[in-house]
Amino acid sequence: GENVEQHPSTLSVQEGDSAVIKCTYSDSASNYFPWYKQELGKRPQLIIDIRSNVGEKKDQRIAVTLNKTAKHFSLHITETQPEDSAVYFCAASIRGNYQLIWGAGTKLIIKP
Amino acid sequence: GAVVSQHPSWVICKSGTSVKIECRSLDFQATTMFWYRQFPKQSLMLMATSNEGSKATYEQGVEKDKFLINHASLTLSTLTVTSAHPEDSSFYICSAEDLPGLRTYEQYFGPGTRLTVT
């Protein structure tokens, strides 16, 4: 079955710097890759997603890139701010199956 | 956007009792809902996929007789933790998909239920 690996588990960056979180997946049939942000004790919130027919997607300070050949996708956050501190999860969905396979999560810490 | 609610937001129960958690899609119909469990500092673990009008599909290692799921309507799914034990204490989150015809792929999450078993 599908397996999603996420790195790093913890990422600490200076406010204003960029943060990059990487995920790899195993099943080439996966065609949908969302990124979720979860604050402590709250629900995961979708921040950006990408489908397999697109290589890159950007939304203000957030961008996601997808390399289908290498089976990896990355989240890029530029000009980080204190409110970006949270746990970020990547996920992958297999074509025709709504089920999401989740990465282990990355705790992002923005240092003032 | 689509809204999913959960009730209760937190519950404390005694060991051996049962607890029911409700998940509702408020402004859309969901033929498929998912139930997750999340332990502190860990990722979401899918417990089961709930389909309206049919039996839920449980993930490997999840006891179907302990975690009873009922998806009686297009807007409501319930998870009942039977004979709860302290190790069942966790954060339970549901999510829902729009009707298949929309194929947005996005899952909408409920706010979660914090269960503490004493």
Side-chain angles (χ1 to χ4, degrees), chain A residues 31-32 36 38 41-46 49 51 89 93-100 102-105 107, chain B residues 4 32 34 36 38 42-44 46 49 59 91 93 97 99-100 103-107 109-112 114:
Chain A
N31 65 343
Y32 175 63
Y36 287 87
Q38 187 180 30
K42 297 189 177 180
R43 77 185 87 192
Q45 291 193 310
L46 180 70
D49 57 12
R51 301 187 189 186
F89 293 98
S93 177
I94 297 175
R95 183 183 300 121
N97 183 344
Y98 295 105
Q99 191 178 110
L100 289 175
W102 295 77
K107 183 176 182 179
Chain B
V4 175
T32 302
F34 301 93
Y36 294 89
Q38 187 177 32
Q42 292 189 23
S43 187
L44 282 77
L46 180 66
T49 302
E59 294 301 300
F91 192 51
I93 310 176
E97 287 266 357
L99 286 176
R103 297 306 298 270
T104 62
Y105 289 88
E106 183 175 348
Q107 286 189 21
F109 284 86
R114 174 76 57 193

Side-chain angles (χ1 to χ4, degrees), chain A residues 1-3 26-27 94:
Chain A
E2 174 67 288
N3 182 52
S26 60
D27 195 327
I94 297 175

Side-chain angles (χ1 to χ4, degrees), chain B residues 20-109:
Chain B
K20 179 184 283 189
I21 302 170
E22 293 186 348
C23 177
R24 292 181 186 273
S25 55
L26 298 185
D27 51 0
F28 68 101
Q29 294 180 319
T31 55
T32 302
M33 290 184 173
F34 301 93
W35 286 97
Y36 294 89
R37 182 165 55 181
Q38 187 177 32
F39 293 108
K41 298 184 180 180
Q42 292 189 23
S43 187
L44 282 77
M45 187 195 81
L46 180 66
M47 300 175 67
T49 302
S50 170
N51 296 295
E52 186 268 336
S54 64
K55 291 183 179 180
T57 303
Y58 290 81
E59 294 301 300
Q60 193 171 9
V62 178
E63 301 173 58
K64 62 179 68 175
D65 294 332
K66 180 172 182 59
F67 299 99
L68 302 178
I69 292 173
N70 185 285
H71 194 155
S73 76
L74 286 172
T75 59
L76 173 65
S77 176
T78 60
L79 167 67
T80 302
V81 182
T82 63
S83 187
H85 289 100
E87 54 265 34
D88 297 325
S89 298
S90 187
F91 192 51
Y92 291 86
I93 310 176
C94 69
S95 70
E97 287 266 357
D98 269 334
L99 286 176
L102 294 178
R103 297 306 298 270
T104 62
Y105 289 88
E106 183 175 348
Q107 286 189 21
Y108 303 97
F109 284 86

Side-chain angles (χ1 to χ4, degrees), chain A residues 35-73:
Chain A
W35 284 90
Y36 287 87
K37 174 183 180 182
Q38 187 180 30
E39 297 176 351
L40 190 63
K42 297 189 177 180
R43 77 185 87 192
Q45 291 193 310
L46 180 70
I47 55 172
I48 197 166
D49 57 12
I50 192 167
R51 301 187 189 186
S52 58
N53 59 345
V54 176
E56 184 175 358
K57 185 176 178 181
K58 191 174 181 180
D59 182 4
Q60 299 183 343
R61 297 187 297 110
I62 296 173
V64 56
T65 58
L66 171 65
N67 183 325
K68 286 192 296 183
T69 303
K71 288 189 279 190
H72 67 68
F73 55 112

